[in-house]
Structures are given as C-alpha cells and as structure tokens.
Amino acid sequence: MDKFSIHRVPLHPSIRTTQPTPIHSQQSFKAHLQEASKQELKVSKHAHERIMERKIDISEQEWQVVSDKVFEAHSKGVKQPLVLMDQAALIVSAKNATVITAMDRTEAKQQLFTNIDGTIVL
C-alpha cells in the first residue's frame, strides 16, 4: 500500500493595505439645491450666430428661467424641447444642456419643427 503524506503549507499573514477613507462633506440640503440650480445652458456656435444675426436679446433672468425649465423637462424624460419665449424660439438639447438653434418669434410662426419631444412655453 502506498503511503500518503499530507504537507501543510504555512499560512502567510495576509497583507492589508489601508485605503484612504473617503471624505464625506456635510453639505446641507440648501447647499445641494443651490449647487444644482447653478446648472446653465451652453449655446452652440450655430445658435450663437443665429442669436447675433437675428438680434435676439435674452436677459440673464430669462436665461435662468429657460435653464430651469429645460433641466426640469430633462428630469421628466424630455430630450429635445422647443422653448417658446415672447421674443424667440429655441431648440435645446436637454441631454447636452445646449441650445442648438434660435430664431425670433415672427420667423418661428412660419416654421415646422421636427425632432422635438417636448415644448416649453414661457
């Protein structure tokens, strides 16, 4: 009969590396809300050219309202809204937070808008 021998391999102590502890900032809800509301729309080169050509004047307050509404629409699943303002119509990519094109309202009355999935009327 053959002899079996069992050899035990000594256990080596496992080497544990200490990982840096993530820093958790204690921001308040108000701070998070303010940070989230600072999101702004970008304006594509094409849209910027159209705004300048057509002499469309949009105030900072109006841009903020547009931004807020676009981000609200995006949170509800809208990817490419048409934004109708008193003086302008904007096509926005909510996914990229970018104004794609702009036209004044009189020009917009004669247009057919395609590839939009929502409308924001201000």
Side-chain angles (χ1 to χ4, degrees):
M1 193 163 160
D2 293 328
K3 290 188 174 182
F4 288 94
S5 66
I6 299 176
H7 297 283
R8 291 191 167 206
V9 178
L11 293 177
H12 296 287
S14 61
I15 300 172
R16 294 187 185 188
T17 58
T18 51
Q19 296 182 1
T21 313
I23 299 171
H24 297 286
S25 61
Q26 296 290 333
Q27 286 187 334
S28 66
F29 175 76
K30 184 177 179 181
H32 285 289
L33 184 63
Q34 287 174 344
E35 185 177 318
S37 67
K38 288 182 183 176
Q39 296 173 329
E40 293 182 8
L41 291 178
K42 296 172 281 204
V43 179
S44 70
K45 182 180 178 184
H46 172 79
H48 181 70
E49 289 171 358
R50 297 299 170 263
I51 289 170
M52 300 311 277
E53 281 175 8
R54 296 168 176 149
K55 297 179 177 129
I56 299 170
D57 185 35
I58 302 173
S59 71
E60 284 292 320
Q61 292 172 332
E62 290 171 321
W63 274 117
Q64 188 59 49
V65 171
V66 170
S67 290
D68 293 344
K69 291 298 181 181
V70 167
F71 286 110
E72 180 182 342
H74 181 64
S75 72
K76 294 181 179 185
V78 176
K79 294 180 179 105
Q80 196 154 326
L82 166 66
V83 180
L84 293 175
M85 305 171 67
D86 289 336
Q87 72 278 23
L90 310 171
I91 302 287
V92 181
S93 169
K95 179 181 176 184
N96 300 327
T98 305
V99 178
I100 298 171
T101 194
M103 61 190 75
D104 61 30
R105 275 303 288 264
T106 55
E107 183 183 4
K109 289 180 183 178
Q110 302 166 4
Q111 297 296 319
L112 173 67
F113 297 98
T114 59
N115 296 330
I116 61 169
D117 60 351
T119 304
I120 300 168
V121 181
L122 302 176

